[in-house]
């Protein structure tokens, strides 16, 4: 592989006009596609195989036109102090509002609070439910405006009015902190390279890669049913890995120049060595993201595949566009000690005998490996302790900031009707196989009424055929509580005996039940997903490092990182530590997808640093250095760049903490803290300590396995051998160009 990538690097350097033109054309094509693509609707949310989803599908069949997955709005009215909603004036305001709400073209139904008994016992609160034909993200702006205007008119008339539900669902905004993250990345690059040109290349290529990736997602969003979160995730990961991969190529190029090689040769060797690490690091990220399809939730699968595509683009850009741009940069990209006075030049290069910070740190770890190992493991273990209190759930209006009308509507309904009123359960009684569907529905109603934590049960509402009924159950607890989850399981358990007696099936659905099933499905998939992703990456790393213990150590270190990161997420978003500093207005259960998402993404990113740092050590070991000296050499060449890469990735991820969407905010924080733990504790401390303790055993591989594995030559031994024989791997220039064009 090193030889092929070496030729690719030289080809891109020599034919830079051709390579740059291709990438500009791809960016233009993607941009035009995104601009001309129809506006994407909401990404459909389904959980195949779950009871809640089966019930939704059954409702679509038996209640045509019901729009079970359509948007809903709850307009909540509260009378002024000392008045009742039943007072003549207040009642007239509500009736006028109900009439105005029913005039919308996308509205299917509007309930009258006084006919549907939607008035609290004390008479101070009432609400009307508005149902729409389409989902919240598909609603026209005119429908949302009409809803807001109707509520405002009621407010102007003297009532307190708030609107809950998903009809006013807004597109999340990332805020200015995303730009700050990129700015921090730029500063780190300038400090690392001491050159504006060298620092600008990784930023430029990362933005081009993200531009192509996100534009392509936007262009295909309508056709492939992709949501807004998909492009946000692709942007987040694409920026981080795009900058990092380019950083490693540019850094190696400068090192090759420092050894006296010509620019074209340096570009080829940079891509042949660091580029090999980029390929395998990218593969681990792609495996982790595509592996999300194991969960069998279409939304997660699409998010993972789209982000993986952006990562693949980042890899291709690092291998081709970076050497092409290095060709344009001329001699402005220079090693340390040869830059302008403004950026630290004019000074002599460091003396050969003076070790850099990476060398000093590695030497310390090699001398005290056991102490460093214990300190690192104990520290991460302490950070992971809050994860033992992890509570999973999905955010509802109760987790919104108190400044939003959705949250105020939620609180008003809780005060007037009880907390469970915000999360009603819908029971679907399929009586098609029953001799008496009505008797079966009555049996269900009577059974559920006697259950614990049930406030009320509505009468059964049958379809036109009379074979299917819906029953609404109001729990006593809030939607995200454990008691509500237990109630759902209790109803489903009771449904088995009802089916035996009446031949009617009982299914529990609704938003609350869907969230519970979603969480359960993610929990069930976590172990298989972990086994698949870690297993495949473990095999890949065996090929890369030709070792058993190094990949095993990498996987165990990752588990430490992800557990510590989950502990930090729990401490902030569930316990409320530092919540004010991070803009977390409401604490509560951690999103159900967070553990499995972090396992996938953090594993892929953690392997980046493992590959980049340890390949340098293996390169030194293969070239004849002793194990301890190879560790120090790896740090001398790679620590500074890995540190810069980690700081950049942390800055980019931290930029998304400013998002208005709680899921994006939590993901941004989780990934940022995970990269911090993995890069600075696991890879910089635990990894060299373990390798120092293992010595030569770290690079042990059974002979039979050594013969069976393909030699991918990540450390570039083939380039070194060819150079020693006086045969440049790229000899034959134009033939090499023709060969690569054919490829």
């Amino acid at each position: 592989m090193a030889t092929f990538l070496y030729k690719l690097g030289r080809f891109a350097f020599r034919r830079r006009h051709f390579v740059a033109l291709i990438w500009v054309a791809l960016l233009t094509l993607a941009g035009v596609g995104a601009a001309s693509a129809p506006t994407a609707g909401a990404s459909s949310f389904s959980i195949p195989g779950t009871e809640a989803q089966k019930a939704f599908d059954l409702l679509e069949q038996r209640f045509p036109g019901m729009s079970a997955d359509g948007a809903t709005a709850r307009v909540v009215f509260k009378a002024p102090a000392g008045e009742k909603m039943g007072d003549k004036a207040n009642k007239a305001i509500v009736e006028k509002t109900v009439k105005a709400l029913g005039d919308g073209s996308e509205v299917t139904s509007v309930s009258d609070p006084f006919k549907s008994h939607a008035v609290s016992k004390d008479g101070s609160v009432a609400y009307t439910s508005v149902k729409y034909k389409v989902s919240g993200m598909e609603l026209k702006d005119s429908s949302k405006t009409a809803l807001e205007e109707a509520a405002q008119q009621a407010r102007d008339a003297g009532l307190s009015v708030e609107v809950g539900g998903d009809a006013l669902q807004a597109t999340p905004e990332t805020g200015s902190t995303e730009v700050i993250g990129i700015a921090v990345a730029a500063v780190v690059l300038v400090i690392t390279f001491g050159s504006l040109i060298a620092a600008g290349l990784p930023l430029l290529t990362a933005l081009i890669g993200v531009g192509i990736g996100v534009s392509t997602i936007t262009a295909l969003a309508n056709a492939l049913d992709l949501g807004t979160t998909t492009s946000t995730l692709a942007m987040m990961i694409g920026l981080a890995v795009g900058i990092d991969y380019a950083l490693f190529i540019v850094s190696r190029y400068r090192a090759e120049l420092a050894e006296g090689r010509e620019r074209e040769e340096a570009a080829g060797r940079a891509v042949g060595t660091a580029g090999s690490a980029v390929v395998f690091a990218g593969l681990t990220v792609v495996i982790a993201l595509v592996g999300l399809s194991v969960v069998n939730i279409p939304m997660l699968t699409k998010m993972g595949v789209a982000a993986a595509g952006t990562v693949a683009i980042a890899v291709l850009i690092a291998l081709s566009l970076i050497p092409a741009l290095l060709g344009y940069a001329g001699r402005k990209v220079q090693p340390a000690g040869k830059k302008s006075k403004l950026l630290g030049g004019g000074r002599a290069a460091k003396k050969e005998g003076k070790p850099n910070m990476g060398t000093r740190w590695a030497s310390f770890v090699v001398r005290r490996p056991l102490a460093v190992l214990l300190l690192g493991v104990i520290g991460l273990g302490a950070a992971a302790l809050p994860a033992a209190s992890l509570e999973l759930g999905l955010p509802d209006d109760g987790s919104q900031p108190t400044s939003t009308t959705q949250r105020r509507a939620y609180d008003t309904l809780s005060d007037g009707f009880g907390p469970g009123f915000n999360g009603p359960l819908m029971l679907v009684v399929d009586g098609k196989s029953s001799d008496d569907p009505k008797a079966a529905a009555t049996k269900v109603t009577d059974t559920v009424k006697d259950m614990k934590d049930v406030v009320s049960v509505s009468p059964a509402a049958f379809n036109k055929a009379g074979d299917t009924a819906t029953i609404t159950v109001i729990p006593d607890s809030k939607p995200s509580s454990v008691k509500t989850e237990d109630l759902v399981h209790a109803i489903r358990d009771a449904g088995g005996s009802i089916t035996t007696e009446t031949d009617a099936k009982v299914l529990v659905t609704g938003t609350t039940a869907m969230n519970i099933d979603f969480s359960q499905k993610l929990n069930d998939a976590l172990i298989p997903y972990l086994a698949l992703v870690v297993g495949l990456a473990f095999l890949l790393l065996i090929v890369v490092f030709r070792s058993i213990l190094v990949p095993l150590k990498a996987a165990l270190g990752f588990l430490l990182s992800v557990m510590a990161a989950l502990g930090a997420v729990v401490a902030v978003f569930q316990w409320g530590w530092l919540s004010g500093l991070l803009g977390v207005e409401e604490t509560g259960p951690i999103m159900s997808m967070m553990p499995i998402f972090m396992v996938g993404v953090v594993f892929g990113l953690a392997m980046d640093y493992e590959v980049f740092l340890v390949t340098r050590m293996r390169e030194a070991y293969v070239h004849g250095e002793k194990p301890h000296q190879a560790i120090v050499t790896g740090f001398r060449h790679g620590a500074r760049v890995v540190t810069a890469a980690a700081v950049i990735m942390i800055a980019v991820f931290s930029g998304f903490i400013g998002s208005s969407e709680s899921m994006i905010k939590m993901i941004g924080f989780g990934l940022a803290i995970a990269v911090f733990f993995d890069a600075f504790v696991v890879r910089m401390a635990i990894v060299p300590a373990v390798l120092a303790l293992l010595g030569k055993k770290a690079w042990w591989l059974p002979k039979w396995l050594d013969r069976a594995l393909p030699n991918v030559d990540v450390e570039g031994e083939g380039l070194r051998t060819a150079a020693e024989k006086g045969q440049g791997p790229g000899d034959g220039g134009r033939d090499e160009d023709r060969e690569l064009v054919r490829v």
Side-chain angles (χ1 to χ4, degrees):
M1 173 178 287
T3 303
F4 170 75
L5 292 178
Y6 168 87
K7 293 178 180 179
L8 175 62
R10 293 192 63 177
F11 172 82
F13 186 96
R14 185 183 303 119
R15 299 302 178 96
R16 47 189 171 274
H17 302 309
F18 172 70
V19 173
L21 183 62
I22 288 178
W23 284 110
V24 170
L26 289 174
L27 179 61
T28 304
L29 183 64
V32 171
S36 59
T39 303
S43 177
S44 58
F45 181 76
S46 63
I47 315 175
T50 61
E51 181 172 314
Q53 186 63 48
K54 291 176 182 177
F56 268 125
D57 296 340
L58 183 64
L59 287 173
E60 290 289 344
Q61 296 174 12
R62 305 286 175 84
F63 291 83
M66 181 180 179
S67 299
D69 59 348
T72 59
R74 275 184 172 179
V75 182
V76 185
F77 306 91
K78 187 173 182 178
E83 298 183 17
K84 303 290 185 183
M85 289 305 306
D87 294 347
K88 186 176 180 180
N90 293 336
K91 190 174 183 179
I93 296 171
V94 173
E95 289 175 345
K96 183 179 179 181
T97 304
V98 169
K99 184 178 179 181
L101 290 171
D103 292 338
S105 60
E106 294 182 306
V107 175
T108 59
S109 65
V110 182
S111 64
D112 185 332
F114 303 103
K115 294 180 181 179
S116 60
H117 308 289
V119 181
S120 63
K121 289 182 180 180
D122 63 1
S124 64
V125 179
Y127 73 91
T128 177
S129 293
V130 186
K131 294 186 178 180
Y132 295 88
K133 299 175 183 177
V134 295
S135 64
M137 293 299 289
E138 294 173 306
L139 268 183
K140 296 178 181 177
D141 290 338
S142 58
S143 296
K144 295 181 180 181
T145 301
L147 175 60
E148 292 172 337
E149 288 179 349
Q152 187 58 50
Q153 288 174 3
R155 290 191 194 103
D156 295 339
L159 297 178
S160 295
V161 185
E162 304 297 344
V163 182
D166 59 352
L168 294 181
Q169 184 175 356
T171 303
E173 299 176 358
T174 53
S176 60
T177 49
E178 178 188 344
V179 178
I180 295 174
I182 297 176
V184 171
V187 171
V188 173
L189 286 169
V190 171
I191 294 173
T192 302
F193 289 130
S195 164
L196 289 176
I197 299 295
L201 291 181
L203 277 177
L204 175 62
T205 54
L207 290 173
I208 291 173
V210 168
I212 294 173
V214 173
S215 296
T216 303
I217 291 171
T218 304
L220 299 176
N222 190 62
L224 300 182
D225 191 26
L226 304 176
T228 54
T229 307
T230 303
S231 58
T232 304
L233 174 64
M235 181 190 305
M236 184 189 299
I237 296 178
L239 269 177
V241 301
I243 293 173
D244 277 8
Y245 295 165
L247 169 63
F248 282 101
I249 300 288
V250 174
S251 177
R252 187 60 183 252
Y253 172 76
R254 285 158 54 92
E256 296 293 335
L257 287 179
E259 293 181 7
R261 292 189 173 87
E262 292 297 323
R263 290 168 50 233
E264 183 178 328
E265 177 69 11
R269 287 183 173 272
V271 176
T273 51
S276 298
V278 166
V279 169
F280 283 99
L283 276 176
T284 58
V285 181
V286 168
I287 288 172
L289 290 170
V290 173
L292 288 170
S293 58
V294 172
V295 186
N296 194 27
I297 294 178
M299 180 187 73
L300 272 183
T301 300
K302 292 170 185 175
M303 287 173 63
V305 172
T310 307
V311 172
I313 292 171
V315 172
L316 293 174
I317 283 181
L319 299 178
S320 58
L321 186 57
I322 281 290
L325 294 180
L326 288 172
Y328 285 116
R331 298 191 175 276
K332 295 178 182 178
V333 180
Q334 290 291 334
K338 295 184 179 180
K339 302 178 290 293
S340 68
K341 291 182 179 180
L342 176 63
L343 295 172
R347 64 180 184 269
K350 289 183 178 180
K351 296 180 180 179
E352 292 295 327
K354 186 177 180 181
N356 61 17
M357 182 65 74
T359 302
R360 294 196 297 272
W361 170 251
S363 300
F364 169 77
V365 174
V366 167
R367 289 197 304 271
R368 300 284 189 272
L370 188 58
V372 173
L373 176 62
L374 290 176
L375 187 62
V377 171
I378 292 172
L380 290 179
L385 286 177
S389 303
L390 178 67
E391 294 179 10
L392 297 177
L394 284 180
D396 54 24
D397 284 349
S399 62
Q400 295 272 3
T402 52
S403 59
T404 62
T405 185
Q406 291 93 338
R407 173 60 187 275
R408 291 196 293 266
Y410 180 98
D411 291 340
T412 304
L413 283 174
S414 295
D415 295 339
F417 298 90
F421 208 80
N422 285 291
L425 305 176
M426 179 180 286
L427 275 54
V428 181
V429 183
D430 181 5
K432 199 166 189 177
S433 302
S434 176
D435 296 331
D436 191 348
K438 291 187 177 180
T442 302
K443 175 70 174 175
V444 173
T445 302
D446 294 340
T447 301
V448 175
K449 276 183 179 178
D450 295 334
M451 288 186 174
K452 186 180 178 182
D453 294 321
V454 173
V455 173
S456 65
V457 180
S458 69
F462 280 87
N463 62 347
K464 290 183 179 180
D467 58 4
T468 307
T470 59
I471 300 171
T472 301
V473 178
I474 304 298
D476 187 40
S477 304
K478 62 181 182 179
S480 58
S481 71
V482 176
K483 289 183 179 180
T484 301
E485 183 177 348
D486 292 340
L487 176 60
V488 170
H489 292 312
I491 295 174
R492 287 173 173 172
D493 292 341
S497 60
I498 293 174
T499 301
T500 303
E501 295 178 23
T502 65
D503 291 328
K505 295 179 181 178
V506 182
L507 304 173
V508 184
T509 189
T511 302
T512 301
M514 184 72 86
N515 289 349
I516 291 171
D517 287 353
F518 182 71
S519 299
Q520 187 62 49
K521 194 173 182 71
L522 287 171
N523 289 341
D524 293 343
L526 182 58
I527 299 301
Y529 173 71
L530 188 62
L532 173 71
V533 171
V534 176
L536 286 176
F538 180 77
L539 295 176
L540 184 65
L541 292 178
I542 288 178
V543 174
V544 174
F545 296 124
R546 307 194 75 80
S547 163
I548 297 293
L549 296 180
V550 171
L552 180 61
K553 171 263 308 169
L556 294 177
F558 150 73
L559 291 176
L560 274 174
S561 300
V562 79
M563 289 305 297
L566 273 177
V569 169
V570 170
V572 173
F573 290 88
Q574 187 174 309
W575 292 359
W577 293 5
L578 301 177
S579 57
L581 181 64
L582 297 174
V584 180
E585 296 190 31
E586 294 298 325
T587 59
I590 303 304
M591 281 185 309
S592 304
M593 69 174 68
M594 199 64 190
I596 199 165
F597 183 81
M598 284 188 66
V599 164
V601 178
V602 174
F603 180 79
L605 299 178
M607 293 305 103
D608 280 2
Y609 303 114
E610 180 74 16
V611 170
F612 289 133
L613 195 58
V614 180
T615 46
R616 270 293 199 172
M617 299 179 190
R618 175 165 177 78
E619 184 177 340
Y621 179 75
V622 168
H623 293 163
E625 293 188 6
K626 293 182 179 180
H628 283 197
Q629 184 57 41
I631 295 172
V632 176
T633 300
F635 267 77
R636 182 170 66 248
H637 292 296
R640 178 182 175 87
V641 181
V642 169
T643 300
V647 172
I648 289 168
M649 198 171 279
I650 291 169
V652 172
F653 288 147
S654 297
F656 289 86
I657 296 176
S659 174
S660 62
E661 175 64 43
S662 60
M663 181 174 74
I664 300 299
K665 182 188 291 286
M666 192 179 294
I667 289 174
F669 173 80
L671 294 183
I673 198 70
V675 169
F676 173 80
F677 286 145
D678 194 84
F680 294 110
V681 181
V682 174
R683 308 303 153 189
M684 289 291 186
I686 293 178
V687 165
V690 171
L691 291 177
L693 289 171
L694 290 175
K696 289 185 178 181
K697 294 178 182 177
W699 308 108
W700 171 79
L701 186 70
K703 292 183 179 180
W704 63 268
L705 185 56
D706 187 40
R707 291 191 298 268
L709 291 177
N711 184 13
V712 295
D713 190 20
V714 175
E715 60 276 356
E717 180 64 17
L719 303 181
R720 181 186 177 100
T721 303
E724 289 174 351
K725 292 180 179 178
Q727 300 171 353
D731 288 349
R734 302 304 172 195
D735 293 333
E736 174 190 317
D737 286 357
R738 287 192 290 272
E739 178 186 345
L740 282 168
V741 171
R742 287 197 299 272
V743 171

